[in-house]
Amino acid sequence: MSALKGRPSTYELYSRVIDKRITPYIGALSVQDIRPAVLDSLMRKLATIGLSRNSILSAKRLLNQSLDYAVYPSELIAENPAKYISIPKSAPHDIIKRTIITKDQYENLIKLHPLGSLSYIPINLLYHTGMRIGEVLGLFWDDIDLKKGEISVRRQYTFIKGKGNVFTQPKTES
């Protein structure tokens, strides 16, 4: 895995996908024994246990990339068995329902965390900007231009297993 390039949080995500969604089901197989039917069964099992379509897709993509590597440059297998596999139609599209807090909920939060409390500014930034929690926690004073009324998101604060809480690049450019 040391050849992986990208953010530490991406590496941690890939490790979690392998540990939780792939290894328990096909980890005992050698790469030469992985057939399309085995991977199809894995995809159906992941759908059966209630994973969302996107979660299953992330496992499929990681398998596809790994098995491509097993074809070339490793030359362990002649063909990638993952290229034949699709995500089961039974897999739900969204499991976590996202909600936006109401104005009343926001006002109740502000009553609990009034001006002067440590949470007041982060709560207001989250509510009024739509920033992610890690992005708000990653702000430095030089990221804020009060005259222009602009905030620049240059980093996020996140937890990475083995490293603890660290600053990383934002999830996306935008």
Side-chain angles (χ1 to χ4, degrees):
M1 281 279 202
S2 61
L4 279 178
K5 292 185 173 125
R7 300 173 44 197
S9 57
T10 302
Y11 177 81
E12 184 177 338
L13 172 65
Y14 287 171
S15 295
R16 233 182 3 254
V17 169
I18 291 166
D19 292 345
K20 303 256 187 234
R21 300 180 190 147
I22 298 172
T23 301
Y25 304 103
I26 65 170
L29 298 175
S30 70
V31 72
Q32 292 85 359
D33 292 332
I34 299 174
R35 303 277 185 262
V38 170
L39 297 179
D40 185 58
S41 177
L42 170 61
M43 296 297 118
R44 284 186 278 113
K45 176 66 175 171
L46 295 177
T48 302
I49 64 173
L51 290 182
S52 74
R53 185 173 227 37
N54 284 340
S55 294
I56 297 169
L57 185 58
S58 70
K60 183 184 178 298
R61 283 183 182 145
L62 189 54
L63 275 166
N64 192 52
Q65 291 170 349
S66 301
L67 292 167
D68 272 347
Y69 189 86
V71 172
Y72 184 81
S74 297
E75 297 183 354
L76 297 172
I77 54 177
E79 190 174 22
N80 181 346
K83 73 180 184 181
Y84 302 104
I85 305 308
S86 60
I87 306 297
K89 290 187 186 337
S90 62
H93 283 275
D94 294 310
I95 290 180
I96 299 172
K97 185 177 182 210
R98 307 276 182 205
T99 57
I100 298 172
I101 67 170
T102 65
K103 186 175 182 185
D104 289 340
Q105 291 171 319
Y106 163 73
E107 288 171 356
N108 285 334
L109 273 173
I110 294 304
K111 284 179 190 169
L112 292 171
H113 305 278
L115 181 62
S117 72
L118 288 175
S119 303
Y120 180 81
I121 291 174
I123 288 170
N124 275 284
L125 286 170
L126 290 164
Y127 183 75
H128 292 289
T129 67
M131 292 169 63
R132 295 177 173 96
I133 292 171
E135 293 170 343
V136 169
L137 296 176
L139 290 174
F140 289 3
W141 279 112
D142 62 348
D143 298 326
I144 302 166
D145 188 331
L146 295 173
K147 289 180 183 171
K148 290 183 180 178
E150 293 178 356
I151 298 174
S152 298
V153 178
R154 297 185 177 107
R155 72 199 67 74
Q156 67 181 7
Y157 192 64
T158 189
F159 177 81
I160 296 178
K161 189 176 180 180
K163 292 186 177 186
N165 292 314
V166 295
F167 291 105
T168 62
Q169 294 297 311
K171 188 171 180 176
T172 64
E173 247 333 280
S174 59

